[in-house]
Amino acid sequence: MRSAKDFFRPLAVGAPEPLREIPVKPSRMIHFFPPSVEKVVAKVPDIAPGVDIILGNLEDGVPASDKERARAGLIQVGTTVDFGATQFWTRLNSLDSPWFLDDVTAAVTEIGDAIDVVMIPKVEGAEDIHYVDRLLAQLEARAGLDEPILVHAILETARGVANVEEICAASPRMQGLSLGPADLAANRRMKTTRVGGGHPGYLVRSDPADGGAITDERPTFQQDLWHYTIARMVDACVANGILPFYGPFGDIADTVACEDQFRNAYLLGCVGAWSLHPAQIDIAKRVFSPDPAEVAHAKRVIEAMGDGTGAIMLDGKMEDDASVKQCQVVVSLARHLAERDPELATAYGF
Ligand code: GLV
Ligand code: MG
């Protein structure tokens, strides 16, 4: 076991010092683009300022025949685009793939100063993070980087979910987790072919009326397939000071159900979700920015609570030390987002 004292020492001579806190930046959407497609690469400078995080995807979705082209496109983006306040991430191929080693070597040694976070798919346990941690340190030292590159893991295997706490705690590089509902469904042998979202077959049915017949006409209520995993992921992340995200929603045309899925994740504690299409950028921006009416209410409670202790009645509702903390969560997120977005600052009255 590593000593706690060693945790913040670089894992390679010449590598930058590990961070003690994850930098908290607006992270409402991780917008995916395929760096193998020249037309898309040309649009990155226009897309980047409108999103919180832009991610060059090297993994699933990029055909095996295009993996090298995607890596070259990523390097081109990393060396030519000015990202301003937007974070630049990449999703590397998985650790068991033939591409990972070349992906990580190229990303760190050629554009490591531009990359904030590497997303690692199909993480199964702390051992995967330990491997990436040491390798990144070696490559950072070789590249002479001043800032450590952070790691974001995708939770998309049953073993990963079972080990989620140890994954979050495995390295000071851990920035956050995303739920990967497609791979996770396949790995668990869940019988859904959808990428995220609900399923009409996963439901509960209301009881028959007193003495009533057993019919299939009684109302049913669709349930959330992802509730358990998202809630578990949020607890593991928060307990380790890192950030939870919902992942992909594959039905691009169903903007309404996408918004519902994102909102469930937001209400449960996630800071953002993936956007796979420009239509999902605005959904994420809307959902993961607190509602101005909620912010106004939270500001009223905080003001009415004075030093934040005791209990008061406001509009017929009890507020106390705990509810004022709930309100502070909403107001501090609003303030943080308003710093980057003048329209939000006006909507929130800051
Ligand atoms: C994402 O990578 C997923 O598998 O859902
Ligand atoms: Mg996946």
Side-chain angles (χ1 to χ4, degrees):
M1 202 176 81
R2 254 172 109 189
S3 146
K5 292 195 189 68
D6 285 342
F7 215 56
F8 292 104
R9 296 206 182 109
L11 287 175
V13 175
E17 294 228 339
L19 299 182
R20 279 157 199 263
E21 296 285 343
I22 295 309
V24 179
K25 302 182 183 163
S27 302
R28 294 164 294 179
M29 77 297 295
I30 307 172
H31 186 67
F32 273 54
F33 74 93
S36 50
V37 181
E38 260 174 51
K39 230 172 47 193
V40 178
V41 166
K43 286 195 197 142
V44 168
D46 299 328
I47 300 170
V51 298
D52 294 339
I53 300 165
I54 189 149
L55 176 147
N57 174 35
L58 303 182
E59 201 224 10
D60 292 354
V62 176
S65 54
D66 274 357
K67 293 291 187 187
E68 269 86 28
R69 194 202 309 271
R71 195 183 299 136
L74 181 82
I75 304 304
Q76 185 196 328
V77 168
T79 45
T80 56
V81 176
D82 175 4
F83 293 98
T86 300
Q87 299 178 60
F88 177 45
W89 294 18
T90 180
R91 178 167 77 163
L92 306 177
N93 284 288
S94 58
L95 300 179
D96 60 355
S97 76
W99 304 290
F100 171 77
L101 194 56
D102 290 336
D103 286 349
V104 69
T105 305
V108 180
T109 60
E110 296 186 44
I111 52 170
D113 48 353
I115 289 186
D116 296 289
V117 173
V118 289
M119 184 182 271
I120 307 292
K122 302 172 178 73
V123 169
E124 304 245 50
E127 69 281 5
D128 289 340
I129 302 299
H130 294 157
Y131 168 70
V132 172
D133 200 4
R134 177 79 73 171
L135 187 53
L136 284 175
Q138 293 173 337
L139 293 168
E140 286 167 344
R142 183 188 284 181
L145 298 185
D146 299 326
E147 292 286 326
I149 291 175
L150 301 182
V151 171
H152 181 102
I154 315 179
L155 204 54
E156 48 187 355
T157 66
R159 193 152 85 81
V161 176
N163 292 331
V164 64
E165 284 86 7
E166 66 165 55
I167 291 170
C168 292
S171 161
R173 285 185 200 275
M174 283 303 298
Q175 178 274 350
L177 292 185
S178 284
L179 169 70
D183 270 303
L184 184 55
N187 185 265
R188 280 177 172 161
R189 300 194 191 96
M190 292 166 71
K191 309 303 182 294
T192 168
T193 54
R194 301 169 176 215
V195 175
H199 192 289
Y202 192 66
L203 48 79
V204 292
R205 189 178 300 273
S206 51
D207 287 353
D210 261 355
I214 302 292
T215 75
D216 63 1
E217 276 156 29
R218 289 167 288 148
T220 58
F221 305 91
Q222 198 172 315
Q223 304 295 294
D224 182 357
L225 280 176
W226 304 107
H227 177 83
Y228 154 76
T229 316
I230 295 178
R232 182 147 184 207
M233 176 180 77
V234 168
D235 282 347
C237 285
V238 174
N240 287 284
I242 72 172
L243 307 175
F245 293 70
Y246 176 74
F249 189 87
D251 189 345
I252 306 295
D254 194 347
T255 49
V256 177
C258 175
E259 179 153 350
D260 293 338
Q261 175 73 76
F262 283 8
R263 186 161 288 108
N264 286 351
Y266 168 72
L267 288 170
L268 278 178
C270 290
V271 298
W274 299 5
S275 52
L276 304 181
H277 184 276
Q280 295 182 338
I281 296 174
D282 282 341
I283 300 175
K285 212 173 262 184
R286 184 162 61 245
V287 170
F288 291 99
S289 308
D291 177 20
E294 188 91 37
V295 175
H297 168 76
K299 287 203 296 197
R300 256 186 88 215
V301 173
I302 292 169
E303 199 177 304
M305 277 292 293
D307 73 354
T309 65
I312 57 166
M313 291 298 288
L314 198 65
D315 304 333
K317 298 193 180 100
M318 188 280 300
E319 307 289 351
D320 70 355
D321 310 49
S323 69
V324 83
K325 287 181 198 145
Q326 293 174 267
C327 293
Q328 280 156 355
V329 168
V330 171
V331 172
S332 70
L333 174 59
R335 271 192 203 291
H336 176 63
L337 296 175
E339 278 167 23
R340 170 130 188 238
D341 185 335
E343 256 176 57
L344 275 182
T346 311
Y348 296 148
F350 292 140

